[in-house]
Amino acid sequence: EIGVRLVGSEMCIRDSFSTDLSETEEEIQLPALSESDAFVRELVAMLSAHPTLAAWLATEELIRTFVVAVENMAQGDTPSRHLSLLAPREPFRISGDASRLIIDPDGYARYDLLVDAFNSLDVVGCGELYRQLKPLLVEAYRELGYPEGDFDAAMSRAIEYVMRTPIITREIPLLSRTVAYEFADETLAALAPVQQQALRMGCLLYTSPSPRD
């Protein structure tokens, strides 16, 4: 199912990131950060041919965009403003009536392409790619105002935020505001923005097998 596969992949990728491969893999010559897009596209394309991923690879400043997205998530914020290309085309869906609004579970399908793209990645390859691109990632992270350049810690915090998002197996009531909807449950409303985004994606909601699996 979407949620199980997504979270499982994150756990495996985190394990891959923590593996020291420096003594077993030959180092590669990295381009300058500002000239790295073509290099990154070639390497990432070897991990997956998913069309959603291919569309993102066609954008510019791939390393810097990835790093700022991770930094946002490490702070508990949603990275959506930096990843607008990956936003679903369908609107957020609700059901119910004026007396009780809930998230429409059928609306979670609007994120299926994104989740499928994530799960299409070769996990071991992602870990090795992270190791290879680490100097560029650290450089981009320092540009954000972190002179110590501890991008590993930022990545770990970002993953932990998503992993700590509660698993919800019931309807999620909403409150209608002027221009948006908020969670009626105070516990969910108090979650970090990136965790609230995860709930709206439905990526942690179900435990039953997907028909596609």
Side-chain angles (χ1 to χ4, degrees):
E1 197 281 327
I2 294 175
V4 175
R5 287 182 292 142
L6 179 58
V7 175
S9 295
E10 286 189 343
M11 294 175 68
C12 292
I13 290 175
R14 177 170 56 183
D15 290 342
S16 296
F17 289 160
S18 65
T19 300
D20 184 4
L21 301 175
S22 58
E23 297 182 357
T24 60
E25 296 292 339
E26 181 180 353
E27 296 295 329
I28 60 176
Q29 187 66 35
L30 295 175
L33 176 59
S34 296
E35 301 172 356
S36 62
D37 281 344
F39 180 79
V40 172
R41 288 187 190 108
E42 181 178 356
L43 292 182
V44 176
M46 296 172 63
L47 303 178
S48 170
H50 195 284
T52 298
L53 184 63
W56 181 71
L57 288 175
T59 64
E60 305 296 324
E61 300 286 359
L62 293 171
I63 290 286
R64 288 189 173 102
T65 300
F66 176 77
V67 167
V68 74
V70 170
E71 192 274 339
N72 285 172
M73 294 175 65
Q75 300 298 324
D77 296 326
T78 171
S80 57
R81 64 184 179 276
H82 302 294
L83 303 172
S84 57
L85 181 69
L86 301 179
R89 298 177 181 177
E90 299 82 2
F92 180 65
R93 292 175 56 175
I94 62 170
S95 61
D97 53 37
S99 63
R100 179 175 171 78
L101 297 174
I102 62 171
I103 295 179
D104 184 349
D106 290 339
Y108 299 136
R110 67 194 186 122
Y111 284 102
D112 278 3
L113 279 177
L114 178 59
V115 174
D116 288 345
F118 185 92
N119 286 300
S120 73
L121 291 166
D122 175 75
V123 174
V124 175
C126 283
E128 174 57 16
L129 179 63
Y130 181 88
R131 187 195 69 80
Q132 292 176 331
L133 297 179
K134 180 77 171 292
L136 297 179
L137 296 169
V138 169
E139 181 181 350
Y141 189 58
R142 285 175 173 158
E143 288 182 351
L144 296 180
Y146 299 95
E148 74 286 352
D150 193 358
F151 187 67
D152 284 346
M155 174 67 78
S156 293
R157 290 194 301 272
I159 293 175
E160 284 297 329
Y161 260 114
V162 177
M163 295 294 294
R164 291 200 305 267
T165 304
I167 297 176
I168 308 298
T169 58
R170 53 176 170 77
E171 295 179 342
I172 301 181
L174 300 170
L175 296 175
S176 178
R177 301 306 186 192
T178 303
V179 295
Y181 294 96
E182 298 178 359
F183 293 114
D185 186 316
E186 294 182 357
T187 301
L188 300 184
L191 292 174
V194 67
Q195 294 174 314
Q196 294 191 29
Q197 179 66 57
L199 288 180
R200 291 188 178 96
M201 290 175 64
C203 64
L204 299 174
L205 293 179
Y206 301 116
T207 56
S208 59
S210 167
R212 293 171 297 177
D213 290 342

